[in-house]
Structure formats: C-alpha cells, structure tokens
Amino acid sequence: MKFTCEKNALAREISFAQEVIASKNALSIMSNVLLDARAGSLSLKATDIKVSFETSLPVDTGEEGVVTVFCDKLSGILASIPEGDIALEEDDAKVIVKPTFKKVRFQLKTIAGERFPELPQAENGITFSLPARDLKEMIAQTIFAVSDDETRYFMNGVFFENAEEGLALVATDGRRLSYVKRAFETTVPTFKGVIVPPKILSLIQKHAPDEGSIEVAVTEKSIFFRFGTYRISSLLIEGQFPNYQKVIPETQKNRMLVRRLDWLDSLKRVSIFVEQKSRRTIITLSDGVMVISSEENEIGTAREEIPCRYEGPKVVLALNYRYLEEPLKVMDCEYVVVEFTEPNRAITISPEPSSDYFHIVMPMQVE
Amino acid sequence: MLFHVDLDAFFASVERLDDPSLAGKPVIVGAAPGRRGVVCTCSYEAREFGVHSAMPISEAYRRCPQGVFLPVRMRRYVELSGRVMEIFSRFTPDVRPMSIDEAFLDMTGTRRLWGPPAEAAVKLKTCVFEETGLTISVGVAHNAYAAKIASGLRKPDGLYVVEEGQEEEFALSLPLSKLWGAGEKTQERFRQLGIVSVAQLASLGEAQIASLFGNAAGRFLHAAAHGRDPGILGPDSGRRSLSAETTFERDTAHRETILDVLMGLAEEISFRLWDSDYRSRTLALKLRFDDFSTISRRATRPAPYLSSAEVFGDAVEILDRAWDGRRKVRLLGLGFGDLTARTDGAQGELFADGSEKIRRAESAAFEIERDGKGRLTRARLLGKEGRDRRRPGGDAGIR
C-alpha cells in the first residue's frame, strides 16, 4: 500500500477515528485504524466493537493495499507535522509516514488488515432520512439526561421511537426525564423503539453539519447514520426502556414563569455553595419572587432573588441543581415555565411559548 | 486513655426494660425455639444455663427450656443504642462505635472535665443508667486491647481500670481462658502443649509461638500475652464507616449458621445506618478463620443501600466469593464504608422500583413494632423448617 495526500485532510479523518476507538492498547487490533487505498480513494475504518466508523477521502494511490496501524500514534504524528502533502507507504509489516517536504520519517508497526473485525452492515433495516439540524437539536435536548448507572443499563441511552408521523427522543436516569417529539416533511416509517448509546449521538452532534440530511437505518441490533462521507453505527442497548409515559404528569396545579438566563445565571452563582455530592439547591417561590439558595454548611451560604411570574401559595422545592442547569442550558427560549403540584412530586420545565420538548425533574425531599 | 464500653446483655436488657415482668428471668433473644437460627443475646440468668450468643437456638432450648425466647427487634435496639452513643459523645468527641452495643471512647484530655479515669467512668455509668435504664461495663486502659479485656472482667455493671504501665502485668495476671481472641481451638492447643498460664505463653518468643500456632495467630497471641494491642481496632477509618461483628463461640463452617448471623449483622448495620445521617453504597465483609488469618472484602454498588434485604443479598455474594465453604470461621463482620451525608439519598425517584418498596415495608414493620401492634422479624431469622431456598426479599413474617 502506498498513497500520498494532503496532511490536514487525513488528520481530520484520523482524529474522528480516534474518537471512536476506546482502546489505548498498542497491541490490540481494536486500537488500530484500517487504511484501504484503492483507485484514487482511501477508505478508513475504526471500531470499539460497539461503535463503528467508516469514511473515505481522495488520495493519490501509488500501490493498492490494506493495512492497519495504531491510530493514537498516527494521530500524534499528523498533529505534529506542518501542513503539506504526506506519503504513507507499507514496507514489511511497517508503515512509513513521511512529509514530502521534510527529512523526517516515522515507522509504525502494522497489523494485517484481515484481522480487522467485520463491521456491521445496515442490511434489511428500516431506513429514513432526517434533517441534520433537527436530529442534532433533538439529541441536544435529551442526551444529558441519560443514566450512567450501569445497573440501569436500559437507561444508558436515548430512546428513539415513532411519535405520530415523526420521531420522539426520550432520555432518563430515573430521577429526571427529557422528551422531544418532532415531525418532518416525510413520514418516519414504523419501527420498534430502540435505545441508542450516547457515544454515537455525541459523534453526530460534533461532526454532522447543520445543513443537509442524515440517513438513518435501524436493524434489530444496530443503528446506522450516514452523513457526508461518514457512515457510523452503534450497537443498540438491549432491554426494555421504562414505561416513561406514566411518569409524565398530565396536569399540574401550579405554574411559574421565569426568564431562562436569569435563572440559569443565578443557579451558577448559588451552585458555588451547593454541596457538591447531592447538589441540593433550595428554590422558594412566593408572589412574584423566586429565591435560589444553598443549604448552610461549614463554608457558608448563597442566596439570590430573581423576579418571576408566580401567583400561589409559598412553596419550597429542593432540587439537584444539575437537573435544572442541564436542561436550562440547552433550551432555546427566552422564558421557561415550571409547573408543579406538590414539593415531592415531579416538576415540568418547558419553554414559553410551548414547543415540542419538555423536561421532568423529580425533586429531593424537603426536610 | 481509652474506655471500652460494653452494654450488658444488650438486647435482653432492652426487652426487660420494655417488659419489667421479665426481671430475673432467663431471656434469650434470637430465633424461635424449635426452628433454625441462633441466639443473638441472652440475659445473665440464661448464661448460667450455658447459653451464649451465636449458639444454635435448638441447643439454647435444650440447655434452658424455661427461658423466655424473644424475637429480635433490631430497630428498637438501634434506637436505644443511639441514645447511649449520644451520651458517650457528651463525654468525649472521639467515640468509635464497634457495634450496636460496644464502643471505644478516647478520653485523652478530658481529665479537667470529668476527673481521673475511674471517676469519669462512674459518671458515665450513672448517666447511662439514669437516662436509659441500661447498665454498662467499662474497661479503662491505655491500649484498646487491654481496655477491651478489662470491660469484660466485672460484667455486668462492671468497671476495671488498668493503670498506665501496668498493661503487661495485667495481661499476665489473666487466666489463659480470658485471653481475648483465643477461642476453643486455641485453648485446646494450649492444653496439648501444656501451656496453662498467660505468663507461660508470654515467656515463649514470638517466633516460637508463630511456629506453634501459625504466623497470624502467633503475632496476635504474642502481643496479647504481653498486654500489647495486637491491632484489634484495625486502621482507623474515622467516622466514614459503620460496622458490626460476631465471634462464633465455636468456629464453624456451617453455611446456614453463618448466613443466619450474617442476616442479623445486615439488619443491625442497616438499621443503624437508616438511623444516622449517612448513606452508603459500599459494603465490607470481614472473615477471621480458625487460624486467625483475617480477610476483608468490599464491594461498591451504584446506588445507596435502601433496605437490609439488599444489604444481606450483597453480603452473601461477597461471602461466597471470599469463603470456600470449608474453612472454619471464627469471626464474621459486616460494615458500610464510605459513608456520605444522607441528603444524597433524598433524591426522589421517577420510577418506583423494588428497593423503595422494600424500604417502605421495613419502615412499616418498624412502626407496627413501635406502636405495640405486633412483632415482626425476618422469615430468615424465624428459621422456618424446610423453607425454600430463595434469597430473602422484603418478606417479613409475623409471629
């Protein structure tokens, strides 16, 4: 195998591949990126077994061939050399990397391409296409709520399911839940709801462009996304996503309106004093005023008042500030509405005017 | 200056406190007679019949059929234990509870407040008795080992002071049978070797003792014979842990007996934890075998423990990993590690899951007991004959 290409173009793809690869063990094929040069094109493959990545870019092919190299080091090499053309050449179980304009050469040991695992293919899947911007927005509204508790593995991903003619994304860690539902110009075909691990969704958020569309394919075990030259896939999480519908309050007694950034900024300030393990923050509502405060500890306290639109009995809520901060950060509205019934029942946070998403948060006990 | 404080026949004393008609009777708290299970605590009257804790209940019944056999009401004991520990903490900020009925108090630097050690100990005993009606035995010494032995010498309602510098003399004055940590098997070995006194044991060098009893036991016995602490407290993990342990009167490899005791320990530490301002996700199991070798194993789970059934379930798993089922066990300990402030656990759950239900069942059981509407205990501790082999869940049995 031998090819020449522009360094930055290759570096971009190699760094994407490196994000997919989890292993840093130089002796494992799983740490390697597969390079396949043929007919003026270089295709790359990387996988951590669960998430797989494929792309291609145009190169000057000198000699066709397939080889795998330690991705971490290749990425390091590419980052260290200046812009310009570089040549990669396979030579007896090594790949020689050299810029065409500098007297430096790197030798990387290789592992034969045949030993690289077969990547899953989207055969017999249900396929549809979504506007990239919509999918990225929907991921942003939900991904932070995914549980990282491995004993609740069925909550370790974002649930994708049909919602009327469109698509709903739901994520929960058992204490809060985020939901977004959107319809598109074309109807989403019926598929059985799937739990998608957050890693692939983060990759989409980071690498997919805002314009254009993303092709989606869902099979029994995997989900596939295609945008630009990229094809990425992930194994789905097996298991039953919880019956989330029943924890979404249908009606709430009380309603409070507040400017989103006022609340977010004051939470950030008060959080300096909030106990970092429980992140317990006290929200006190009375006519027209919201007080955000920390519980007193050996260091001190913080308390801030902000105006809000609320008419009702004085209420004290205890909440994990992260469960407020995370949704408030990604909501795209000037005002948010908080609805609640009792201090120990789930609260609903939604944009005003209402949109196609909302967040549910379970409070902590008020002692 | 350390105080080792032991609540006298604690569970039995609480039962007697709550039902004065039991005064002077042999009270045996534990499994029901005719069933499987062990004795948790018995009154001094019952001890005269040869009944002791961790003894199979059938054996206790054989020795003392006229005894009053009562089920374990752990929450009530925890409540009273908490009151006693609170009194301790008024005497010194440095209280180290060892189990529900036992604590070390570091009284260093409290002389100006409470007077010389013997005087302070009397004040402590008076205070506990006046406020709770319970008696304690106090051992005073400069090391934990001597204090622990001393508290056991004049039970019940005892006080024994080992003066500073007298620890070795104190140890040498003990009968060999009082040498803490030397159980039945070790005593048997003493007899075989013709060792009849602590002094005789102390005259052997550490290497020689080790060659006769094995390395771990050798170190332990050599230190103990010279009145030095062989490390009974273990490294101080501060207030970040909570544990309880039971020494079997006879070393045992009988799995069911070990599980019964483990269940009792799981309940004890769980209720103590619920009663505290802390939560924990880490469970630690300690096993000391008949050769004195001691191992500790711990496991951490993602969410804080909310029921003693979960604690027991995990404890059994740790036990099965740590123990081959054949080595004889002389001491079993169970504790929570890495305690964190309770507010962590005050987070509400969107999806009511099983553990929350079990926790609610346990607190309902407690309320039934507290309000005098009945007595509840775990089916496992009832020791049903021929019960199925399922892992215990939240099932509480009424008797």
Side-chain angles (χ1 to χ4, degrees):
Chain A
M1 184 206 66
K2 183 177 178 180
F3 67 87
T4 310
C5 69
E6 203 267 310
K7 192 267 307 191
N8 279 351
L10 183 60
R12 195 164 52 237
E13 310 306 348
I14 292 295
S15 95
F16 193 159
Q18 186 56 29
E19 282 179 62
V20 172
I21 292 168
S23 166
K24 291 264 197 265
N25 171 5
L27 298 175
S28 160
I29 186 96
M30 304 299 294
S31 310
N32 282 18
V33 58
L34 179 136
L35 306 173
D36 182 352
R38 112 185 30 211
S41 167
L42 175 72
S43 52
L44 293 97
K45 289 182 185 179
T47 180
D48 71 352
I49 286 297
K50 288 179 178 163
V51 176
S52 300
F53 159 88
E54 289 179 59
T55 190
S56 60
L57 72 160
V59 295
D60 269 340
T61 327
E63 193 179 317
E64 295 192 345
V66 187
V67 75
T68 81
V69 293
F70 187 30
C71 191
D72 184 61
K73 280 285 173 282
L74 180 56
S75 177
I77 292 167
L78 295 174
S80 74
I81 56 182
E83 282 182 40
D85 282 350
I86 54 160
L88 270 77
E89 184 177 355
E90 185 188 7
D91 175 26
D92 187 25
K94 295 184 293 291
V95 162
I96 295 156
V97 185
K98 54 182 181 194
T100 51
F101 50 87
K102 256 193 166 337
K103 284 182 108 171
V104 53
R105 56 185 259 155
F106 299 93
Q107 280 191 12
L108 269 172
K109 290 199 173 136
T110 61
I111 301 179
E114 302 87 71
R115 291 189 43 209
F116 198 79
E118 197 70 35
L119 301 187
Q121 296 304 319
E123 282 156 9
N124 308 323
I126 289 156
T127 57
F128 49 97
S129 169
L130 300 172
R133 183 191 301 273
D134 285 311
L135 181 60
K136 286 172 74 176
E137 283 174 4
M138 292 172 79
I139 293 170
Q141 285 300 333
T142 50
I143 191 167
F144 59 85
V146 165
S147 169
D148 57 7
D149 176 350
E150 284 172 20
T151 62
R152 297 179 172 196
Y153 61 93
F154 48 87
M155 293 183 187
N156 293 166
V158 176
F159 187 58
F160 281 53
E161 70 168 353
N162 291 105
E164 290 151 30
E165 308 213 310
L167 185 68
L169 267 58
V170 194
T172 181
D173 64 4
R175 285 138 195 183
R176 40 84 181 264
L177 177 146
S178 295
Y179 178 95
V180 57
K181 174 179 90 172
R182 198 165 286 187
F184 313 95
E185 279 176 16
T186 52
T187 303
V188 173
T190 307
F191 66 99
K192 189 173 163 289
V194 291
I195 308 168
V196 184
K199 180 171 173 176
I200 191 167
L201 301 176
S202 301
L203 292 173
I204 291 169
Q205 270 191 303
K206 182 164 172 194
H207 294 283
D210 285 336
E211 304 306 323
S213 61
I214 296 181
E215 305 298 320
V216 187
V218 182
T219 65
E220 201 184 328
K221 290 256 189 304
S222 298
I223 189 161
F224 300 78
F225 296 95
R226 204 170 79 197
F227 50 91
T229 59
Y230 301 111
R231 277 174 297 166
I232 53 178
S233 69
S234 173
L235 286 181
L236 296 168
I237 293 170
E238 287 179 35
Q240 184 67 46
F241 196 74
N243 181 6
Y244 69 89
Q245 313 263 10
K246 69 170 190 195
V247 302
I248 298 172
E250 282 177 21
T251 57
Q252 298 270 33
K253 270 192 196 150
N254 301 296
R255 177 185 161 91
M256 181 273 288
L257 184 79
V258 65
R259 190 184 290 268
R260 179 175 66 94
L261 289 179
D262 284 358
W263 195 14
L264 187 57
D265 290 346
S266 79
L267 277 169
K268 277 186 190 147
R269 281 187 286 269
V270 171
S271 74
I272 297 169
F273 273 88
V274 165
E275 199 271 305
Q276 286 307 301
K277 212 148 195 177
S278 69
R279 306 194 192 92
R280 186 183 168 85
T281 307
I282 308 297
I283 306 288
T284 309
L285 296 176
S286 49
D287 268 355
V289 179
M290 167 165 17
V291 176
I292 301 103
S293 57
S294 68
E295 285 181 307
E296 182 161 5
N297 59 28
E298 57 274 26
I299 299 155
T301 57
R303 181 182 189 279
E304 178 162 348
E305 274 185 35
I306 55 170
C308 69
R309 196 180 303 158
Y310 174 70
E311 290 161 10
K314 184 175 168 179
V315 170
V316 180
L317 299 166
L319 291 147
N320 180 328
Y321 84 81
R322 182 171 286 177
Y323 290 177
L324 299 175
E325 188 188 34
E326 286 176 337
L328 289 175
K329 266 190 194 162
V330 297
M331 292 172 82
D332 52 1
C333 48
E334 189 177 356
Y335 285 93
V336 296
V337 175
V338 175
E339 293 168 290
F340 59 94
T341 300
E342 281 171 40
N344 58 354
R345 302 250 303 263
I347 69 166
T348 312
I349 305 172
S350 47
E352 172 70 22
S354 68
S355 177
D356 54 7
Y357 63 89
F358 57 80
H359 305 279
I360 308 282
V361 179
M362 197 65 192
M364 303 174 103
Q365 273 171 35
V366 181
E367 279 167 7
Chain B
M1 182 58 68
L2 277 177
F3 283 15
H4 178 259
V5 186
D6 215 356
L7 285 148
D8 299 321
F10 181 48
F11 297 177
S13 301
V14 174
E15 294 301 337
R16 197 170 274 171
L17 204 61
D18 290 351
D19 180 359
S21 75
L22 298 173
K25 291 182 183 161
V27 175
I28 296 160
V29 179
R35 315 258 188 185
R36 293 217 34 268
V38 294
V39 174
C40 288
T41 317
C42 56
S43 68
Y44 289 91
E45 291 81 359
R47 290 180 199 196
E48 283 172 19
F49 291 91
V51 179
H52 52 70
S53 53
M55 170 184 271
I57 204 76
S58 53
E59 177 65 16
Y61 187 73
R62 203 182 56 73
R63 294 190 185 194
C64 185
Q66 66 273 55
V68 182
F69 288 82
L70 295 173
V72 178
R73 293 187 303 148
M74 191 55 76
R75 293 215 77 139
R76 173 69 177 143
Y77 311 146
V78 167
E79 191 183 328
L80 273 167
S81 169
R83 279 167 57 191
V84 173
M85 296 290 172
E86 189 275 320
I87 295 169
F88 293 170
S89 67
R90 282 185 242 154
F91 280 74
T92 167
D94 199 354
V95 178
R96 189 162 170 196
M98 300 304 287
S99 69
I100 193 167
D101 58 356
E102 190 187 339
F104 279 99
L105 279 61
D106 189 340
M107 298 293 287
T108 310
T110 63
R111 184 179 284 255
R112 287 179 62 182
L113 270 174
W114 306 109
E119 213 174 288
V122 170
K123 283 178 185 155
L124 181 70
K125 285 161 64 72
T126 310
C127 207
V128 170
F129 184 76
E130 282 176 358
E131 290 188 35
T132 64
L134 295 167
T135 63
I136 57 176
S137 292
V138 184
V140 180
H142 266 80
N143 73 54
Y145 173 73
K148 167 115 187 165
I149 299 281
S151 71
L153 290 181
R154 297 204 176 136
K155 275 180 149 297
D157 201 13
L159 171 61
Y160 193 105
V161 181
V162 181
E163 298 293 345
E164 186 168 11
Q166 303 294 305
E167 292 84 6
E168 180 156 11
E169 205 173 303
F170 167 69
L172 295 177
S173 72
L174 294 170
L176 200 53
S177 62
K178 288 278 182 189
L179 196 68
W180 193 78
E184 200 173 284
K185 196 178 144 191
T186 313
Q187 298 287 353
E188 175 59 33
R189 185 93 176 107
F190 288 152
R191 278 190 290 279
Q192 285 171 6
L193 295 165
I195 299 172
V196 294
S197 70
V198 176
Q200 208 180 339
L201 180 67
S203 68
L204 304 172
E206 181 173 347
Q208 203 175 348
I209 303 181
S211 73
L212 295 170
F213 295 90
N215 281 335
R219 261 196 309 279
F220 198 101
L221 292 172
H222 181 258
H226 287 276
R228 290 197 303 271
D229 183 5
I232 61 172
L233 273 178
D236 189 358
S237 46
R239 279 150 205 268
R240 303 225 138 246
S241 67
L242 182 163
S243 63
E245 57 188 44
T246 295
T247 305
F248 292 94
E249 200 74 18
R250 259 185 224 125
D251 303 345
T252 181
H254 187 244
R255 183 179 161 83
E256 288 299 316
T257 304
I258 288 170
L259 290 189
D260 285 342
V261 168
L262 193 61
M263 179 69 160
L265 292 173
E267 290 221 310
E268 179 185 329
I269 62 167
S270 300
F271 290 142
R272 277 166 61 200
L273 186 67
W274 311 160
D275 230 46
S276 75
D277 292 329
Y278 294 95
R279 288 290 168 98
S280 173
R281 307 188 294 128
T282 301
L283 195 61
L285 181 92
K286 174 169 148 189
L287 279 172
R288 180 167 294 152
F289 296 106
D290 54 355
D291 63 355
F292 283 84
S293 60
T294 306
I295 58 169
S296 293
R297 295 282 183 274
R298 50 200 277 148
T300 298
R301 58 185 228 138
Y305 284 103
L306 289 173
S307 79
S308 64
E310 292 173 321
V311 174
F312 177 64
D314 286 1
V316 173
E317 276 184 29
I318 302 174
L319 176 75
D320 286 340
R321 282 203 303 271
W323 179 53
D324 61 7
R326 289 192 300 275
R327 290 182 78 181
K328 282 195 172 176
V329 177
R330 64 177 277 104
L331 177 146
L332 185 64
L334 191 65
F336 291 114
D338 302 330
L339 301 186
T340 53
R342 176 159 45 181
T343 42
D344 298 9
Q347 171 65 51
E349 293 284 337
L350 276 174
F351 305 92
D353 70 353
S355 66
E356 181 63 16
K357 276 186 202 152
I358 293 169
R359 198 187 58 75
R360 281 207 297 267
E362 287 186 346
S363 65
F366 173 54
E367 279 163 25
I368 289 169
E369 261 179 30
R370 187 193 56 201
D371 302 342
K373 289 176 186 156
R375 283 184 158 187
L376 280 90
T377 195
R378 267 191 202 291
R380 158 137 227 128
L381 296 179
L382 278 174
K384 269 197 306 249
E385 281 302 339
R387 63 166 182 265
D388 60 18
R389 311 287 297 180
R390 275 179 317 191
R391 286 245 309 256
D395 43 1
I398 298 184
R399 65 161 99 141

